[in-house]
């Protein structure tokens, strides 16, 4: 099956990749000459349409005047994610428990790509699918970070622990300061949903919890922001300045 993704950065990234593009849609009067030249150079089927029609097609006005028709985004099995980790690399996986907001998933994908994380794990039944909104927010990371959907998150963590992974929960309850933990081990970082947090069964499988200090009047961060802060602390520990 095929789907449309939209946004200038998304389409530009697709044009640089090896992903098959079936068609490009461009709004009439688009002034981004560089993008138009990229499309013409790729010799792809091109359709121009009015802004009104494009707004109606995507049911919003955030498409930035350009879209691409592609095959559905690929997800992976957990085995495929693990087998793709380069030999000698300290593994880093992110498990998202109950993340349903496509903007959060897109932002987490983007952060995961930036720090070189090896994959993201989501539950099949309580998670957002890989869609055009996720793609737009991820600015191309939806194609560079492997995503696995699994049937049971707690059993998946049990399996990973048996393979030598440590599991760190981003959770304020019974937690240590995020700066005090040792991340230089095969690691799974668990992020819960903003409304419900980490589910009890998943939390039970975590080895320890880490928390971000809250020095102001706000008591929590957006899930994707918290994830980005923690990922960069992990990166800092693993790649210290010399």
């Amino acid at each position: 099956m095929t789907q449309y993704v939209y946004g200038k950065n998304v389409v530009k990234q697709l044009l640089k990749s090896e992903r098959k593009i079936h068609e490009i849609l461009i709004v009439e009067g688009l002034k981004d000459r560089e993008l138009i030249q990229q499309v013409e150079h790729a010799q792809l089927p091109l359709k121009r349409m009015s802004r009104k029609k494009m707004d109606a097609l995507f049911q919003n006005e955030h498409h930035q005047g350009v879209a691409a028709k592609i095959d559905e985004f690929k997800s992976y099995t957990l085995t495929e994610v693990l087998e793709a980790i380069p030999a000698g690399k300290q593994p880093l996986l992110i498990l998202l428990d109950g993340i349903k907001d496509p903007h959060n998933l897109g932002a987490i994908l983007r952060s995961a790509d930036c720090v070189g994380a090896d994959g993201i794990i989501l539950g099949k039944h309580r998670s957002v699918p890989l869609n055009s909104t996720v793609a737009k927010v991820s600015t191309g990371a939806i194609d560079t970070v492997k995503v696995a959907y699994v049937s049971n998150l707690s059993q998946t963590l049990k399996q990973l622990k048996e393979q030598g992974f440590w599991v760190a929960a981003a959770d304020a309850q019974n937690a240590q300061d995020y700066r005090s933990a040792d991340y230089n081990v095969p690691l799974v970082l668990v992020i819960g949903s903003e409304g419900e947090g980490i589910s009890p069964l998943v939390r039970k499988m975590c080895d320890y919890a880490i928390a971000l200090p809250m020095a102001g009047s706000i008591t929590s961060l957006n899930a994707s922001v918290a994830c980005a802060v923690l990922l960069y602390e992990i990166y800092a520990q693993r790649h210290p300045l010399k």
Side-chain angles (χ1 to χ4, degrees):
M1 294 181 65
T2 58
Q3 63 181 344
Y4 283 106
V5 293
Y6 51 81
K8 290 182 180 180
N9 288 333
V10 173
V11 174
K12 286 179 179 179
Q13 189 67 30
L14 282 171
L15 290 167
K16 293 177 185 177
S17 73
E18 297 180 358
R19 178 183 279 276
K20 182 177 180 180
I21 300 175
H22 298 280
E23 181 183 52
I24 297 286
L25 306 181
I26 290 181
V27 74
E28 293 171 350
L30 183 70
K31 298 190 181 345
D32 191 329
R33 188 60 198 159
E34 178 187 354
L35 175 58
I36 294 172
Q37 287 177 341
Q38 282 182 279
V39 174
E40 291 174 344
H41 179 73
Q43 298 182 322
L44 294 166
L46 176 63
K47 181 187 292 185
R48 297 180 186 273
M49 62 173 52
S50 68
R51 181 164 293 277
K52 184 177 180 180
K53 284 187 177 180
M54 193 171 279
D55 289 349
L57 177 63
F58 298 115
Q59 299 182 338
N60 66 60
E61 300 175 357
H62 306 302
H63 47 71
Q64 298 180 306
V66 61
K69 188 177 184 180
I70 61 173
D71 294 325
E72 286 188 336
F73 291 108
K74 177 176 173 58
S75 60
Y76 298 81
T77 65
L78 180 62
T79 299
E80 288 173 328
V81 171
L82 295 174
E83 288 178 345
I85 299 173
K89 182 180 184 295
Q90 195 70 281
L92 173 59
L93 301 174
I94 304 158
L95 185 141
L96 304 179
D97 184 9
I99 297 292
K100 299 176 183 177
D101 184 346
H103 295 87
N104 268 335
L105 178 55
I108 290 170
L109 278 164
R110 188 172 181 174
S111 297
D113 176 273
C114 289
V115 301
D118 299 295
I120 291 178
I121 302 168
L122 300 102
K124 287 182 178 178
H125 307 298
R126 295 176 57 243
S127 303
V128 62
L130 298 178
N131 57 31
S132 58
T133 303
V134 175
K136 185 175 188 298
V137 177
S138 79
T139 64
I142 196 170
D143 284 319
T144 61
V145 179
K146 288 180 170 56
V147 176
Y149 286 91
V150 299
S151 299
N152 189 304
L153 291 176
S154 59
Q155 286 300 312
T156 296
L157 287 178
K158 181 181 179 182
Q159 177 185 342
L160 289 169
K161 290 174 71 170
E162 289 171 351
Q163 295 183 44
F165 280 84
W166 287 78
V167 183
D171 188 355
Q173 298 297 319
N174 301 316
Q176 64 189 94
D177 188 293
Y178 79 107
R179 294 165 292 184
S180 66
D182 179 9
Y183 303 118
N184 202 19
V185 293
L187 186 68
V188 183
L189 175 63
V190 179
I191 305 291
S193 67
E194 289 181 56
E196 301 174 8
I198 299 172
S199 60
L201 286 176
V202 171
R203 181 65 178 84
K204 199 176 196 178
M205 293 304 301
C206 298
D207 295 301
Y208 59 92
I210 48 177
L212 296 162
M214 296 290 139
S217 58
I218 305 300
T219 58
S220 66
L221 287 171
N222 171 280
S224 61
V225 174
C227 185
V229 173
L230 295 172
L231 287 176
Y232 267 98
E233 177 63 20
I234 295 166
Y235 182 88
Q237 279 198 21
R238 293 182 174 189
H239 304 277
L241 292 175
K242 296 179 181 179

